[in-house]
Amino acid sequence: MLEIGAGMGNLTRQLARRRDRYVASDIDDEHLQRLEKRHRHHVHLETAVCDLSDTSHFVPFAGQMDTVICLNVLEHI
Protein backbone atom coordinates (compact mmCIF):
# COMPACT_ATOMS: atom_id res chain seq x y z
CA MET A 1 0.00 0.00 0.00
CA LEU A 2 1.26 3.48 -0.88
CA GLU A 3 -0.07 6.44 1.08
CA ILE A 4 0.36 9.79 -0.66
CA GLY A 5 0.51 12.80 1.67
CA ALA A 6 0.89 10.93 4.95
CA GLY A 7 1.68 14.12 6.84
CA MET A 8 2.18 13.48 10.54
CA GLY A 9 0.98 9.88 10.16
CA ASN A 10 -2.47 10.05 11.74
CA LEU A 11 -3.90 7.61 9.21
CA THR A 12 -0.62 5.75 8.76
CA ARG A 13 -0.82 4.46 12.31
CA GLN A 14 -4.14 2.73 11.58
CA LEU A 15 -3.59 1.70 7.97
CA ALA A 16 -0.07 0.25 8.27
CA ARG A 17 -1.10 -2.51 10.65
CA ARG A 18 -0.85 -6.04 9.31
CA ARG A 19 0.45 -4.93 5.90
CA ASP A 20 3.29 -6.77 4.22
CA ARG A 21 4.56 -3.47 2.85
CA TYR A 22 3.37 0.04 3.58
CA VAL A 23 4.97 3.15 2.12
CA ALA A 24 4.02 6.46 3.73
CA SER A 25 4.99 9.36 1.52
CA ASP A 26 4.91 13.12 1.72
CA ILE A 27 6.65 16.13 0.19
CA ASP A 28 7.72 17.47 3.59
CA ASP A 29 11.01 16.05 4.91
CA GLU A 30 10.14 17.06 8.48
CA HIS A 31 6.94 15.00 8.37
CA LEU A 32 8.83 12.03 6.96
CA GLN A 33 11.45 12.23 9.70
CA ARG A 34 8.73 12.26 12.36
CA LEU A 35 7.00 9.31 10.70
CA GLU A 36 10.24 7.31 10.65
CA LYS A 37 10.89 8.05 14.30
CA ARG A 38 7.31 7.42 15.43
CA HIS A 39 6.92 4.17 13.52
CA ARG A 40 10.43 2.73 13.70
CA HIS A 41 9.05 -0.44 15.32
CA HIS A 42 6.96 -1.23 12.19
CA VAL A 43 9.38 -3.27 10.09
CA HIS A 44 7.12 -3.21 7.03
CA LEU A 45 6.74 0.59 7.00
CA GLU A 46 8.84 2.67 4.63
CA THR A 47 8.84 6.40 4.00
CA ALA A 48 9.46 8.18 0.72
CA VAL A 49 9.27 11.61 -0.85
CA CYS A 50 6.46 11.58 -3.42
CA ASP A 51 5.27 14.71 -5.12
CA LEU A 52 2.17 14.14 -7.26
CA SER A 53 3.46 16.65 -9.80
CA ASP A 54 6.71 14.70 -10.38
CA THR A 55 6.17 11.31 -12.00
CA SER A 56 9.78 10.30 -11.39
CA HIS A 57 8.95 9.96 -7.67
CA PHE A 58 6.73 6.99 -8.51
CA VAL A 59 9.22 5.03 -10.61
CA PRO A 60 10.54 3.02 -7.61
CA PHE A 61 7.00 1.73 -6.94
CA ALA A 62 5.99 0.83 -10.51
CA GLY A 63 4.22 -2.50 -10.56
CA GLN A 64 4.72 -3.04 -6.82
CA MET A 65 1.66 -1.49 -5.19
CA ASP A 66 -1.85 -2.89 -5.28
CA THR A 67 -3.39 0.04 -3.40
CA VAL A 68 -2.69 3.78 -3.42
CA ILE A 69 -4.49 6.17 -1.10
CA CYS A 70 -4.32 9.93 -0.79
CA LEU A 71 -6.92 10.79 1.82
CA ASN A 72 -5.01 13.64 3.46
CA VAL A 73 -4.30 15.16 0.04
CA LEU A 74 -7.95 15.19 -0.97
CA GLU A 75 -8.90 16.69 2.39
CA HIS A 76 -6.80 19.78 1.62
CA ILE A 77 -8.02 20.36 -1.94
Side-chain angles (χ1 to χ4, degrees):
M1 181 179 281
L2 172 61
E3 180 182 5
I4 307 293
M8 305 274 299
N10 295 330
L11 294 172
T12 306
R13 177 181 17 203
Q14 300 299 318
L15 298 173
R17 293 181 187 163
R18 293 180 294 255
R19 303 277 182 234
D20 292 333
R21 183 178 183 200
Y22 191 94
V23 179
S25 71
D26 206 282
I27 58 173
D28 186 319
D29 286 329
E30 186 175 329
H31 286 320
L32 293 174
Q33 289 174 7
R34 286 183 182 170
L35 274 168
E36 289 171 0
K37 187 175 183 179
R38 179 187 284 173
H39 299 285
R40 65 182 170 269
H41 59 283
H42 288 115
V43 295
H44 302 293
L45 177 73
E46 304 168 35
T47 60
V49 174
C50 283
D51 185 336
L52 287 172
S53 66
D54 187 345
T55 58
S56 70
H57 288 185
F58 297 94
V59 171
F61 310 114
Q64 297 182 27
M65 300 295 165
D66 62 0
T67 306
V68 178
I69 59 170
C70 57
L71 299 172
N72 281 332
V73 173
L74 295 175
E75 169 189 322
H76 293 285
I77 295 177

